[in-house]
Amino acid sequence: MNFLPAQHPLVDGRTSSAPLIRALRGDRPERTPVWFMRQAGRSLPEYREIRAAHRMLDACLDPGLASEITLQPVRRHGVDAAVFFSDIVVPLLLAGVDVDLVAGRGPVFAQPVRTAEDVRRCRAEYGPERLRAALDPVREAVALTVAELGGTPLIGFAGAPFTLAAYLVEGGPSRDHLRARTLMHADPGTWGELLDWAAELSGVFLEAQLEAGASAVQLFDSWAGSLSAADYRTSVAPASRAALRGVRALRYADPEAEGYAAGPIGVPVIHFAVGSGHLLEELAALGAPGEPLALGVDWRTPLDEASRRLGDAVPLQGNLDPALLGAPDAVLAAQLDAVLRRGERAPAHVLNLGHGVPPETDPDVLGRIVDLAHAR
Ligand SMILES: Cc1c2[nH]c(c1CCC(=O)O)Cc1[nH]c(c(CCC(=O)O)c1C)Cc1[nH]c(c(CCC(=O)O)c1C)Cc1[nH]c(c(C)c1CCC(=O)O)C2
């Protein structure tokens, strides 16, 4: 067991009873907490202004800029959480991997990782120790952000091992991650080594954000939806569990809990995967007693149906279709109402989109969603 530091916002009481944290622990706070995946980014003019002068990954590694961009949507929309401005490739970059983020495309790697030899070289050269030694800009950005946020929790995140591996093997974005899934079937030993390495880097990145002041983390397994349930269970879930091992060991005593009766508890974890309706039961199995897990659900699976399948035992996050952000106000309001009503079936609900904010979104629409959700 590892304790969060005394000045951490979950420990000193700043965020331990914030609506987001209560909901992620399975409780129904006074208002439904709301935040948006990809809220910090391209839909905001104040973000575009910063990005005009700085490359994406440079901005991620400049503590002042990363903190400012993280805070922008909180100031503008009044959301119940900040999500740290970074990217799933940042831990790979800091470990030494040659990767860039290409506008309109996504992560692109100088050398795809495809053979047993490639994987061996990566593990030898780009290990977790090298990442740990390079994380100061991230720790500093998180600390600066948390000092400004007061009672609003910061969500840290990482890419899950499968999603990182899908990019590494393909060398860049791909439609159905065929090369990665072929490696998984053709050479399970090498696949296991690759995922173990990705899990180590994900885990170190998550722990650094939590230790520096984040109050929850989200594991993005964006592309896990391309896997069958059986392949997810045997070839991917063990690595996601490994990525969360260090996070699960981080404990704190909730200052709000009666006489500290609850004892040390774990920090809340959210898991999100696009198009993963067929994996809900497998994903829920990443949680365990004393290890709070909330599931992000995309827009294809209604929240009440998701909750029923999970025995009404798992806090859910989601799941307004991002396409609705461009629909007329009345259509959006009706669909928002439906999402909130369906969400009532779950033990707890964090309102979010079913995937990230599209870049062309009118930012005022996001503010209206926050106001509507809070007014209920
Ligand atoms: C798959 C994935 C990536 N990155 C991420 C994921 C998982 C979430 C998901 O499923 O969408 C996670 C991510 N990326 C970014 C954040 C910041 C925090 C937030 O959510 O607001 C988060 C949480 C910033 C970013 N990451 C990226 C941007 C856009 C950079 C820019 O052009 O300004 C931002 C703000 C770039 C990026 N990075 C990645 C992609 C596919 C792209 C888009 C490429 C493009 O269309 O330009 C990889």
Side-chain angles (χ1 to χ4, degrees):
M1 217 187 301
N2 269 325
F3 284 95
L4 287 174
Q7 70 282 11
H8 190 283
L10 284 173
V11 180
D12 66 20
R14 269 177 289 165
T15 60
S16 49
S17 54
L20 175 87
I21 301 303
R22 286 184 54 196
L24 293 178
R25 303 201 63 80
D27 200 2
R28 285 265 166 196
E30 59 285 1
R31 65 168 192 262
T32 304
V34 44
W35 69 282
F36 304 102
M37 292 186 277
R38 296 290 183 100
Q39 67 188 18
R42 289 172 299 179
S43 68
L44 297 186
E46 57 270 37
Y47 167 78
R48 289 207 203 98
E49 206 174 296
I50 291 180
R51 280 296 318 286
H54 303 273
R55 291 166 56 80
M56 170 70 191
L57 289 173
D58 293 343
C60 290
L61 297 179
D62 178 315
L65 290 180
S67 173
E68 168 58 24
I69 296 170
T70 303
L71 294 165
Q72 284 173 348
V74 181
R75 291 190 201 113
R76 190 191 256 263
H77 307 311
V79 280
D80 292 282
V83 58
F84 184 51
F85 179 76
S86 190
D87 193 83
I88 59 167
V89 301
V90 165
L92 299 173
L93 177 78
L94 291 178
V97 176
D98 188 344
V99 56
D100 197 11
L101 283 176
V102 177
R105 197 152 169 245
V108 176
F109 293 83
Q111 283 183 288
V113 180
R114 292 189 181 153
T115 64
E117 184 47 42
D118 292 340
V119 172
R120 226 171 285 129
R121 185 178 43 83
C122 285
R123 291 201 75 152
E125 289 183 26
Y126 314 130
E129 285 317 314
R130 191 162 165 192
L131 170 59
R132 248 185 225 109
L135 276 168
D136 277 351
V138 168
R139 293 192 189 95
E140 205 181 313
V142 168
L144 283 172
T145 307
V146 166
E148 293 287 321
L149 278 172
T152 303
L154 174 69
I155 301 172
F157 73 91
F162 174 74
T163 290
L164 294 180
Y167 281 115
L168 285 158
V169 175
E170 303 287 343
S174 65
R175 209 161 52 113
D176 39 18
H177 327 296
L178 206 59
R179 277 201 191 89
R181 291 187 295 116
T182 298
L183 179 65
M184 174 178 86
H185 294 297
D187 187 349
T190 297
W191 177 255
E193 295 271 310
L194 172 60
L195 263 71
D196 284 352
W197 169 62
E200 285 177 345
L201 299 185
S202 276
V204 167
F205 191 51
L206 292 172
E207 290 152 47
Q209 293 167 79
L210 285 168
E211 283 161 359
S215 292
V217 286
Q218 176 156 319
L219 196 60
F220 279 97
D221 209 349
S222 301
W223 310 139
S226 70
L227 297 161
S228 71
D231 288 338
Y232 180 81
R233 181 165 56 241
T234 53
S235 305
V236 170
S240 287
R241 234 172 245 122
L244 292 173
R245 201 160 292 140
V247 168
R248 294 315 198 176
L250 272 177
R251 316 297 282 187
Y252 70 103
D254 183 352
E256 301 294 319
E258 194 95 348
Y260 285 52
I265 53 181
V267 299
V269 174
I270 310 163
H271 185 284
F272 174 73
V274 190
S276 64
H278 62 297
L279 299 178
L280 282 179
E281 293 82 356
E282 302 300 330
L283 298 173
L286 296 173
E291 300 185 342
L293 180 81
L295 285 188
V297 178
D298 90 355
W299 68 93
R300 296 169 182 89
T301 309
L303 291 180
D304 51 346
E305 185 189 317
S307 188
R308 180 183 49 76
R309 276 174 49 198
L310 298 170
D312 297 316
V314 178
L316 297 181
Q317 173 174 285
N319 69 346
L320 201 60
D321 184 347
L324 284 162
L325 299 176
D329 278 354
V331 175
L332 174 62
Q335 292 293 322
L336 174 62
D337 197 58
V339 166
L340 289 167
R341 271 188 290 110
R342 289 178 188 277
E344 282 168 11
R345 169 146 192 172
H349 178 208
V350 175
L351 181 67
N352 204 312
L353 304 177
H355 198 182
V357 177
E360 58 280 7
T361 302
D362 170 1
D364 291 346
V365 174
L366 299 178
R368 281 204 288 282
I369 294 174
V370 175
D371 293 344
L372 284 170
H374 284 172
R376 266 169 66 104

